[in-house]
Amino acid sequence: MAIIGSIIKGLIDLRDKIVSEPNADEAQLEVLKSLLYKAKDTAFGKHYNFEEILEADDIRVAYAERIPNFDYNKINEEWWYKMHEGETDVVWPGNPPYFALSSGTTGKTSKRIPVSNDMVEAIRTSGIKQVGALANFNLPTEFFEKEIMMLGSSTDLQKEGDHEEGEISGISASNIPFWFKGFYKPGEEIAKIEDWDERVAMIAENAKIWDIGAISGIPSWIELMFKKVIEHHNVNNIHDIWPNFQVYTSGGVAFEPYEKSFNALLAHPVTVIDTYLASEGFMAYQQRPETHSMKLVLDNGIYFEFVPFKPEYVNEDGSITDNAPVVQLKDVQEEEDYILLISTVSGAWRYLIGDTIKFTDVSRHEIKITGRTKFFLNVVGSQLSVNKMNDAIQDLEKKYDIEIPEFTLAAVRIDGEFHHSWYLGTEAKLSNEELAEALDESLKNANKNYKVARSKALKGVKVTTIPPNHFYEWNALNKKKGGQVKMERVMNEEKFGEWEKFISSL
C-alpha cells in the first residue's frame, strides 16, 4: 500500500467533498468589486474614477461603459511602460516583482506583461483547485506518489532593475511551494538551463532515475522531449522509460491536432487534462473526465467579459472595434464563439488576451479555446477559425491514417485570385493535390461561409507538405524553442512570404 499516496489522495478527496462551488455570478461581481477597490488609488484607478464606478447601481455595466478595452499595444503605450520608468502604483498597487515575457504566436518582440504578487498567489491557488479536481479522475493511489515533470521555460529569470523577467511557466515553476519540490522534475538545476536543446539533453540523460507520473507542457515541445528521451535510451516508447506516466496536462493549446502523433510515442493511452494558463493568469482547468472542456476560475482574481466573435467586431490586426457589444457571464450562450476580455490582479483592465472561446456547458461554466482573433481567416468571407481548421486537419488524419501535428496557412493571390495556401507538417507521402482536395471538401462540409466563399472569391486551395521539424526550426529562428512558444496558424501575406523564403532555404 502506497501510504503517502493514500494520504495525499485522501486529502484531495476530502477537499473535493468540503469545498463548495461559489455562485458564479456573485463570485464574478465580488472579484470585480475587489479589483476596483484595491486599485482605486492607482494612477489608472484615479484616471477612470474607480470610486465612482463602485458606487454605481450596476457596477458591471458602469465598468464596461467607462473603461475602454485594451489590447497589449494600447495598454502598454498608455500605462504599463510607466512601470519601466520607475513609477509606482500605476495600474496595480506597488510595483510588480515579475514581468512575463510573451512573444505568443505573433511577432519577434516579446510582450512584457506585469505579474504581481497577488497574481502569483492566484496562479498557485488555481493550481491547487486543479489538483483538487484530480479526485474526479479515478486515479490509483500509487499515482499520488509519483514525480511530476513540468516542462516550461527556464526558471533562471533575468533581473531587470527592480523586477525579474521570464516566461510565465518559468515564473510559476520558480514559485512552487516548498512541499512540492520533492515531486517536481526536472528539478531546479536543470530547469534553470536557458538553452532548450541543452535542457532536454539533460532531461534525457537523467530520465531513468525519475519515476514520472504526470507531465505538463505545450504538446509540440513535449513530443520533441519524448523523442529525445526515446532516442537517447534506444527504446520503443516513453513508457519504456516512465512506466507509471498516467496524466498529461496540456498548456493552453488545443491538444487535438497533436493527439495522433503524441499517442504514437506511448505504449498505452494516458489521461489528458486541459488547462488554460496564459501569461496574464490561470483562466480555467478541466474539472471532470467526461469532457475536455475547462471550467473557468471565477472566484480568483480575474473578471471575465465576452464579446461576440463576429467579423464586424474584429479589426484587421485582431483588436476589437470600439462599438463591439459586451456580454456578461450570466448572458452567454452555448456553442457561440466569444472574444475574451479580462481584468486581473496584475493591472490588466478590460484586456484583450487575443483568445476566442466557446461555452460547451453554460451551467458548469465550461469552455473550450476555439482560436485567436489574429488567426481568424476572413479575407474573402471564409470565416475560418482555428477550431474549424483543427477539425479539418483531424479529418485528414483519420481519412488517410496519417499524423499532421503542425500546420499554417495564409490567403495569397495567385494570378490575381485569392487562394488558401496551407503548409502541413507531416512525414506522410501523399500527393499535395489529393490532400488539398480532401481538405477543401472537409471545410465545405463543416462551414457554410467557407462553402459560399469557395463558390465566389476564394478560387482555390493549395497544400504543401513539409517535415514537422521545419515548424520548430521556424519558431527557434523567430523566437526560441520550448516554453510557451506556439506556432502561428494563420499568417498575413508579408509574414507568409518570410515563411516561404525560410522553407525554401532548408
Side-chain angles (χ1 to χ4, degrees), residues 124-409:
R124 185 183 293 125
T125 300
S126 293
I128 292 171
K129 288 175 181 284
Q130 183 188 9
V131 171
L134 291 176
N136 302 325
F137 286 82
N138 195 31
L139 295 165
T141 299
E142 293 78 11
F143 168 78
F144 296 93
E145 288 194 329
K146 305 306 176 186
E147 294 162 324
I148 299 174
M149 169 76 72
M150 296 170 60
L151 188 65
S153 58
S154 170
T155 59
D156 188 17
L157 307 178
Q158 301 304 305
K159 185 72 175 176
E160 297 288 342
D162 63 349
H163 66 269
E164 293 180 292
E165 296 185 350
E167 287 188 16
I168 192 65
S169 57
I171 293 171
S172 299
S174 67
N175 281 279
I176 59 173
F178 74 91
W179 53 265
F180 182 69
K181 291 184 179 182
F183 295 91
Y184 167 58
K185 292 294 178 270
E188 293 181 66
E189 186 175 339
I190 296 176
K192 285 184 177 180
I193 298 173
E194 179 65 29
D195 182 84
W196 163 261
D197 292 318
E198 183 183 345
R199 192 171 355 133
V200 170
M202 288 296 294
I203 289 172
E205 194 173 310
N206 288 273
K208 274 196 169 181
I209 66 174
W210 301 328
D211 188 6
I212 302 296
I215 296 174
S216 68
I218 299 293
S220 55
W221 303 115
I222 295 293
E223 279 192 31
L224 289 180
M225 183 268 287
F226 281 175
K227 289 176 180 177
K228 184 68 177 178
V229 172
I230 291 168
E231 176 189 0
H232 183 86
H233 295 281
N234 193 27
V235 294
N236 294 319
N237 58 69
I238 202 66
H239 279 117
D240 286 341
I241 299 296
W242 297 323
N244 295 308
F245 170 42
Q246 296 185 64
V247 173
Y248 168 61
T249 304
S250 67
V253 175
F255 179 67
E256 289 82 0
Y258 302 94
E259 185 172 8
K260 195 162 188 177
S261 57
F262 189 95
N263 287 340
L265 302 172
L266 311 177
H268 53 76
V270 298
T271 299
V272 177
I273 301 177
D274 286 328
T275 61
Y276 188 4
L277 171 62
S279 299
E280 294 83 359
F282 198 146
M283 315 288 178
Y285 60 90
Q286 185 180 336
Q287 191 182 41
R288 55 196 183 99
E290 304 94 315
T291 177
H292 282 303
S293 296
M294 298 173 287
K295 181 180 180 62
L296 282 175
V297 180
L298 299 171
D299 60 347
N300 189 33
I302 302 177
Y303 175 70
F304 297 96
E305 297 172 278
F306 310 91
V307 174
F309 186 34
K310 296 182 178 179
E312 59 265 34
Y313 304 139
V314 183
N315 297 316
E316 190 174 342
D317 64 357
S319 62
I320 57 178
T321 62
D322 292 335
N323 66 335
V326 174
V327 178
Q328 294 180 15
L329 180 67
K330 62 184 177 63
D331 298 318
V332 296
Q333 301 294 315
E334 284 184 9
E335 299 301 322
E336 295 288 331
D337 281 358
Y338 294 101
I339 301 164
L340 203 56
L341 289 179
I342 61 170
S343 301
T344 77
V345 290
S346 276
W349 299 104
R350 306 201 70 230
Y351 182 82
L352 175 68
I353 195 171
D355 291 330
T356 61
I357 59 100
K358 69 176 179 181
F359 282 84
T360 56
D361 190 321
V362 167
S363 63
R364 288 187 169 97
H365 308 102
E366 289 178 342
I367 64 162
K368 279 192 173 183
I369 302 170
T370 57
R372 300 277 295 171
T373 56
K374 289 185 178 181
F375 293 174
F376 183 53
L377 191 57
N378 193 39
V379 174
V380 287
S382 56
Q383 295 193 23
L384 279 185
S385 58
V386 172
N387 65 317
K388 290 184 172 66
M389 299 173 200
N390 286 339
D391 289 345
I393 293 298
Q394 283 190 283
D395 284 346
L396 289 187
E397 290 184 319
K398 291 174 184 175
K399 181 173 183 176
Y400 295 107
D401 191 23
I402 59 177
E403 298 170 8
I404 311 174
E406 297 289 356
F407 70 87
T408 193
L409 74 152

Side-chain angles (χ1 to χ4, degrees), residues 105 258 375 406-408 471-472 474-475 479 485-489 491 499:
T105 41
Y258 302 94
F375 293 174
E406 297 289 356
F407 70 87
T408 193
F471 289 85
Y472 311 134
W474 166 261
N475 279 338
K479 306 149 194 170
V485 175
K486 308 160 194 172
M487 182 64 197
E488 57 261 70
R489 294 308 190 196
M491 299 182 185
W499 160 261

